Amino acid sequence: MGSLFRSEEVCLAQLFLQSASAYSCISELGERGLLEFRDLNPKVSPFQRRFVGEVRRCEEMEKTFTFLQQELRVAGRVPGPCPESPRAPVAREALRVQEQSEQLAQELREVTRNRASLRGRLRDLRQYLHVLREGQHFTSLPAPLGSPPRPRALSDREPILDPSLHQHLERKINFVAGVIHPWRVTAFERLLWRACRGYLVASFVEMPEPMEDPATGENITWVIFLISYWGEQIGQKIRKISDCFHCQVYPYPESDASRTDTMTSLHSQIQDLSVVLEETEQYLAQVLDKVALALPTWRVQVQKMKAIYLILNQCSFDVTEKCLIAEVWCPVRDLTQVQDALRQGSYQSGSSVECFVQRVPTSESPPTLIRTNKFTAGFQSIVDAYGVASYQEVNPAPYAIVTFPFIFAIMFGDVGHGLLMLLFALWMVLYEDSPRLRQGTNEIWLTFFEGRYLILLMGAFSIYTGFIYNECFSKATVIFPSAWSVATMANYSSWSSEYLATHPSLTLDPNVTGVFRGPYPFGIDPIWSLATNHLNFLNSFKMKMSVVLGIVHMGFGVVLGVFNHLHFKQRHRLLLEFLPEVIFLLALFGYLVFLIFYKWIKFGAADSRVAPSILIHFIDMFLFTSNAENLPLYPGQVPVQTVLVVLALASVPVLLLGTPLYRWCRQRAPSTVRPGAPVATREHEPLLEGQEAGNSVNATKEDVESAGHGPDAQHLDFAEIFMHQAIHTIEYCLGCVSNTASYLRLWALSLAHARESPWSPRVPPRAGQTFTRLSLPSPELSEVLWTMVMRNGFVGLSYVGGVVLVPVFAAFAVLTVAILLVMEGLSAFLHALRLHWVEFQNKFYVGAGYKLCPFAFAPDPWE
């Protein structure tokens, strides 16, 4: 049986690797992704293993790569993905990668440090230049040419160093100039005034251009301050306060000539620094280009090299320490590929001793391997979310490809909604190779994208069931002519003008010739959308349909258990478990399905009034009674039902005691195994040519001797076996009842989806109606929305109606997508998931296994 229907056969094997070629062999195996390695040194600390030095070297290189990555991001560059997957580097190439990466990292550190120093120096020079320029307005005021000197009154706007004011000054005026952060100006000025008691004159002005803040890296508009004071003690206080506020203080020349010379020198220095900074930026760009080109490849190589050494740390050395031994779980069909990979690795390393693989027996349960593709991966994920399949038990995924979308569609059946879902999934399928769709960061979107084929089938099946229900956006469509004829009823019945005037609801009588012309060709007749007993009709149809499909689904799950019994050579379970389970299910609920179909076939629209109730018959069946008012469906119905109930009850003790008694008898029977005979295990497959069977280095002698999987492999506790079988019997018998009732959710959600649409009329049913009654639907919300708004927008309000129709239809479309497609679709999906997990899979599926995780080089996590 293929891998999808049952997990592949997996065996335990040993790899014998020559020390010189072990690295190349593991690299080749990692490229192919065939084996799951086992740790043969579980009690050894990671810091005491053989290749811990190599692992640390890889981690040091990864730290260097992280630094290079950060420098690229600071420069606004994003390294692209590795164009091709390079192989793991050999020792010489790894040393070259380490040297080149460290050299580039050192160059980046030096260039970045120099650039930061140049930028800081250039920023200080520009700030100093702005301080001197702005200080000119405070300390000197040039007189107009040709104007005679004249005395002027004192003013706050007079320049501080105006020669006309020197006669009022007895002491020398000193200055403190610099720049301060704009947020600190107010507090700085207030503290200066309080500390110096007014023995200063402070002037503040914003810098003409914003400059970078070295602390935060943001561009801000600094504030230039110039403080004139008298006395050395005042000056010391001002400098201390400036230091406390992190002000940048610059020397301020006293004379105009000195300030002019200083500004000229600053201009020259700024130009020189700008040239040097530009050359530094160009060199930095060249280094970053080298990093961006080489970093993706280096990163993949080092990750592969680190993974190889971690695997080598899980291997054990032989006595001579010239050979490494590794234990792996390997698919049997891939053993030849493993041997080929070992041969290729030995050839690449230049070793003359060839490595080889050898299978070993084991008593452990192998991991589960089920190969999937992009179509089956979504369905397998649904099964694995419940539990990974036990080793080589029947896999429910291939059957869920059909049953899951179909059960979903029963609850979501609508042609319009299914078509929207189908188109959405088809768009994802057609553009599945687009990087924009695959590399999304939204987790919800990635979930939809991974299940695109599942959504595609759910939409297609919903369209099919929508045609069965005859619903398109919850409106009936006339695909074929109706099987009910109103004209025939009007012509050949007692309808008169007075009768029509006094009866708003008209009953169509199928006993009148020509009124009912047989079943509708496909689906539900559209005339039922006009009937007042529409809900009664759909209730009966969908409820019986849910019961039939549920029992068939559960019965199919019970039948699948046969394949497990045959595969694991447990043929006694066919008679002691499978047969009682089938008898119990079919004698009770299979008979219910028979009654449903028999009633559908025997009774039609003409004689539906005399049709008996199946529910009453089913209740009487368990009570061993008969109801005179409820006529039998066929002659001899009561004896048949009595025999079926007795068979169902008789199967319960067989199911409860059969398997425990059989195993107890097998345990007490004398063993037929001869002393010294080989113990039967699951390893019946022939080994590779030239190999002999060996034992696991982790297995003891007792483990190998007790590797049998039959019922006599170990001493059995009869009480434990009986308790386990009792739980299984109770769960199955009660589950047949509860699980059948659980399938009624198909009926409930199907009606809910059909009735929740904004267009579906909600007409309350009338008691006692068995025939179709034609009437106008009651004016409820959906009809009001259609009649009063959208229809008027088409015919009644001219161009105004067209304008009103746009937002109304937009609201209708949003509600349809948000409520019916997303919320109702998610609800139907979850209920279909529950029906598969609980009602279907528990009939044959254990799900107690664990996945095979082969050693393979994973994609770069930084991409």
Side-chain angles (χ1 to χ4, degrees):
M1 190 173 291
S3 172
L4 186 61
F5 296 91
R6 191 186 301 279
S7 61
E8 288 192 19
E9 188 176 357
V10 178
C11 66
L12 183 65
Q14 287 182 345
L15 304 181
F16 294 89
L17 310 174
Q18 200 266 342
S19 299
S21 59
Y23 181 89
S24 299
C25 292
I26 299 299
S27 175
E28 186 67 26
L29 291 173
E31 295 291 343
R32 304 194 183 191
L34 302 174
L35 307 176
E36 178 182 348
F37 285 82
R38 303 175 66 188
D39 191 1
L40 300 184
N41 308 301
K43 298 182 180 180
V44 181
S45 170
F47 302 100
Q48 297 176 351
R49 303 202 178 191
R50 181 64 62 92
F51 300 97
V52 64
E54 287 77 1
V55 174
R56 287 178 176 176
R57 188 177 66 171
C58 295
E59 292 176 350
E60 291 296 329
M61 285 192 284
E62 287 181 344
K63 292 180 181 179
T64 304
F65 297 159
T66 302
F67 168 75
L68 298 176
Q69 177 81 7
Q70 292 175 352
E71 292 296 323
L72 288 176
R73 290 179 179 175
V74 170
R77 301 189 182 189
V78 178
C82 188
E84 57 183 8
S85 179
R87 301 184 66 87
V90 295
R92 181 179 301 176
E93 187 179 356
L95 183 61
R96 179 186 60 81
V97 170
Q98 184 178 8
E99 292 177 352
Q100 291 183 357
S101 61
E102 291 178 354
Q103 181 180 359
L104 285 178
Q106 183 63 25
E107 289 183 5
L108 273 179
R109 290 188 182 96
E110 294 179 358
V111 175
T112 304
R113 190 185 309 112
N114 294 337
R115 184 185 63 174
S117 176
L118 290 175
R119 283 183 173 181
R121 179 60 179 164
L122 185 61
R123 181 179 62 252
D124 290 341
L125 292 178
R126 287 177 176 174
Q127 288 181 352
Y128 191 15
L129 181 61
H130 284 296
V131 168
L132 293 180
R133 285 178 177 176
E134 297 299 330
Q136 290 282 60
H137 300 290
F138 300 112
T139 57
S140 64
L141 183 62
L145 296 177
S147 60
R150 57 185 179 86
R152 291 174 295 174
L154 295 178
S155 173
D156 292 340
R157 297 181 177 274
E158 293 294 335
I160 298 177
L161 296 185
D162 192 350
S164 62
L165 299 178
H166 285 182
Q167 56 183 347
H168 302 285
L169 301 177
E170 298 179 357
R171 296 184 179 182
K172 180 182 178 182
I173 300 178
N174 298 315
F175 296 92
V176 174
V179 294
I180 186 175
H181 197 282
W183 294 353
R184 304 169 184 161
V185 172
T186 304
F188 179 63
E189 185 177 9
R190 185 182 301 111
L191 185 58
L192 284 175
W193 180 260
R194 293 178 179 177
C196 300
R197 301 182 181 275
Y199 290 96
L200 56 83
V201 177
S203 302
F204 297 89
V205 65
E206 289 186 351
M207 193 176 293
E209 60 178 350
M211 290 190 179
E212 182 183 9
D213 184 2
T216 61
E218 299 178 356
N219 287 333
I220 61 173
T221 303
W222 296 89
V223 175
I224 301 173
F225 63 88
L226 181 64
I227 304 173
S228 59
Y229 61 92
W230 293 266
E232 187 62 27
Q233 293 182 353
I234 299 297
Q236 292 178 0
K237 289 184 179 181
I238 295 174
R239 291 185 179 88
K240 289 181 180 180
I241 295 174
S242 301
D243 292 339
C244 293
F245 280 87
H246 303 285
C247 301
Q248 183 67 36
V249 179
Y250 299 98
Y252 191 81
E254 297 180 358
S255 63
D256 290 342
S258 299
R259 289 193 293 272
T260 303
D261 293 340
T262 304
M263 286 190 291
T264 304
S265 175
L266 289 176
H267 276 294
S268 158
Q269 295 180 28
I270 289 173
Q271 292 178 358
D272 295 341
L273 281 177
S274 299
V275 174
V276 175
L277 182 60
E278 183 179 357
E279 294 179 354
T280 305
E281 294 280 359
Q282 293 177 358
Y283 181 71
L284 178 61
Q286 295 176 1
V287 177
L288 290 176
D289 289 339
K290 295 179 182 178
V291 172
L293 183 62
L295 183 59
T297 303
W298 289 350
R299 195 168 54 198
V300 174
Q301 287 179 326
V302 173
Q303 287 176 348
K304 290 185 177 181
M305 183 171 63
K306 181 180 178 182
I308 292 173
Y309 284 121
L310 291 175
I311 292 297
L312 291 176
N313 277 334
Q314 298 180 3
C315 303
S316 64
F317 281 85
D318 65 343
V319 179
T320 62
E321 295 193 356
K322 294 182 180 180
C323 176
L324 276 80
I325 302 176
E327 280 194 3
V328 296
W329 290 113
C330 175
V332 175
R333 58 180 289 189
D334 294 337
L335 282 173
T336 55
Q337 297 188 39
V338 173
Q339 186 63 52
D340 180 68
L342 295 178
R343 188 180 301 109
Q344 186 71 19
S346 300
Y347 174 77
Q348 292 175 359
S349 63
S351 175
S352 58
V353 179
E354 185 173 327
C355 305
F356 62 93
V357 57
Q358 174 179 289
R359 292 181 59 179
V360 294
T362 179
S363 60
E364 299 181 42
S365 178
T368 300
L369 173 62
I370 299 176
R371 303 181 193 267
T372 59
N373 52 35
K374 61 183 180 180
F375 176 76
T376 60
F379 299 94
Q380 188 63 50
S381 298
I382 291 177
V383 176
D384 292 342
Y386 175 80
V388 179
S390 300
Y391 180 63
Q392 288 206 329
E393 74 170 333
V394 172
N395 181 26
Y399 313 105
I401 294 177
V402 177
T403 59
F404 190 91
F406 182 65
I407 289 179
F408 171 86
I410 293 173
M411 297 177 280
F412 197 77
D414 190 284
V415 176
H417 300 155
L419 183 61
L420 294 178
M421 183 178 293
L422 177 70
L423 294 177
F424 172 67
L426 187 62
W427 170 73
M428 290 191 292
V429 169
L430 294 178
Y431 294 94
E432 61 183 7
D433 296 330
S434 174
R436 293 180 58 187
L437 299 182
R438 285 186 171 274
Q439 300 177 1
T441 57
N442 191 313
E443 185 176 357
I444 297 178
W445 163 252
L446 292 178
T447 302
F448 281 116
F449 184 76
E450 292 298 329
R452 57 192 179 277
Y453 289 98
L454 176 61
I455 300 175
L456 182 70
L457 289 185
M458 290 192 304
F461 277 75
S462 297
I463 294 176
Y464 170 76
T465 54
F467 280 113
I468 294 292
Y469 299 156
N470 199 357
E471 292 181 358
C472 181
F473 293 109
S474 296
K475 295 291 290 183
T477 56
V478 182
I479 304 175
F480 302 100
S482 175
W484 292 85
S485 175
V486 181
T488 305
M489 186 70 187
N491 296 330
Y492 299 98
S493 67
S494 60
W495 289 358
S496 61
S497 300
E498 294 78 7
Y499 182 84
L500 296 176
T502 56
H503 291 77
S505 297
L506 304 175
T507 302
L508 299 182
D509 189 355
N511 292 310
V512 177
T513 304
V515 174
F516 181 69
R517 296 188 293 268
Y520 193 66
F522 185 80
I524 296 178
D525 198 315
I527 200 173
W528 283 103
S529 62
L530 302 177
T532 57
N533 59 343
H534 180 210
L535 188 59
N536 279 351
F537 172 74
L538 288 183
N539 269 338
S540 176
F541 165 71
K542 293 186 176 181
M543 180 174 61
K544 295 176 181 178
M545 174 195 66
S546 301
V547 172
V548 171
L549 294 177
I551 295 174
V552 171
H553 197 209
M554 290 190 298
F556 179 62
V558 175
V559 172
L560 287 179
V562 175
F563 298 98
N564 283 333
H565 303 332
L566 295 177
H567 178 77
F568 294 118
K569 296 181 173 57
Q570 299 172 338
R571 300 182 184 276
H572 65 279
R573 301 183 67 178
L574 294 176
L575 295 176
L576 301 178
E577 291 188 15
F578 169 71
L579 188 59
E581 289 176 353
V582 171
I583 291 175
F584 185 86
L585 181 65
L586 296 183
L588 299 181
F589 302 99
Y591 179 69
L592 176 62
V593 174
F594 166 76
L595 292 181
I596 292 174
F597 278 99
Y598 186 84
K599 182 178 177 180
W600 280 345
I601 295 173
K602 184 175 180 180
F603 297 93
D607 55 350
S608 60
R609 284 182 174 178
V610 298
S613 172
I614 295 179
L615 180 61
I616 301 299
H617 277 304
F618 201 60
I619 295 175
D620 293 338
M621 174 180 173
F622 288 95
L623 299 178
F624 296 100
T625 61
S626 61
N627 192 336
E629 297 180 358
N630 196 42
L631 300 178
L633 286 170
Y634 59 90
Q637 181 178 356
V638 175
V640 171
Q641 294 180 166
T642 303
V643 172
L644 292 178
V645 173
V646 171
L647 283 176
L649 295 178
S651 64
V652 175
V654 177
L655 182 61
L656 177 63
L657 302 175
T659 299
L661 292 177
Y662 171 80
R663 299 187 67 178
W664 182 72
C665 293
R666 287 290 303 272
Q667 180 182 355
R668 292 178 60 87
S671 177
T672 58
V673 180
R674 301 189 310 271
V679 180
T681 67
R682 290 185 183 180
E683 312 296 337
H684 296 295
E685 297 76 19
L687 300 176
L688 295 180
E689 183 178 356
Q691 296 184 10
E692 297 179 357
N695 295 331
S696 168
V697 297
N698 280 351
T700 62
K701 181 179 179 181
E702 291 77 9
D703 294 332
V704 178
E705 292 178 353
S706 62
H709 297 272
D712 299 328
Q714 56 183 354
H715 180 71
L716 301 177
D717 187 358
F718 180 76
E720 182 179 353
I721 296 174
F722 178 78
M723 183 62 65
H724 182 273
Q725 190 66 23
I727 294 175
H728 171 71
T729 303
I730 296 173
E731 181 183 7
Y732 178 81
C733 296
L734 296 182
C736 286
V737 180
S738 62
N739 294 346
T740 303
S742 183
Y743 276 95
L744 293 177
R745 69 185 68 237
L746 301 177
W747 157 53
L749 267 76
S750 175
L751 288 178
H753 181 77
R755 305 297 291 177
E756 285 182 4
S757 174
W759 280 3
S760 61
R762 297 173 174 82
V763 183
R766 297 183 181 180
Q769 291 180 349
T770 57
F771 301 107
T772 304
R773 291 182 176 270
L774 296 179
S775 66
L776 292 177
S778 59
E780 301 193 21
L781 178 60
S782 59
E783 291 299 315
V784 170
L785 180 63
W786 173 257
T787 305
M788 303 301 294
V789 180
M790 299 192 70
R791 190 176 67 180
N792 290 336
F794 282 119
V795 298
L797 300 177
S798 185
Y799 64 90
V800 179
V803 175
V804 173
L805 186 62
V806 172
V808 171
F809 181 78
F812 168 77
V814 170
L815 291 175
T816 298
V817 173
I819 297 179
L820 292 178
L821 289 185
V822 179
M823 296 181 63
E824 280 288 322
L826 180 60
S827 175
F829 178 87
L830 294 177
H831 284 284
L833 197 64
R834 181 243 155 78
L835 291 176
H836 276 77
W837 282 357
V838 180
E839 279 71 28
F840 172 61
Q841 291 181 186
N842 69 349
K843 300 297 185 297
F844 66 97
Y845 186 68
V846 178
Y850 60 101
K851 282 187 178 182
L852 177 73
C853 299
F855 167 66
F857 295 126
D860 188 1
W862 287 0
E863 294 180 3

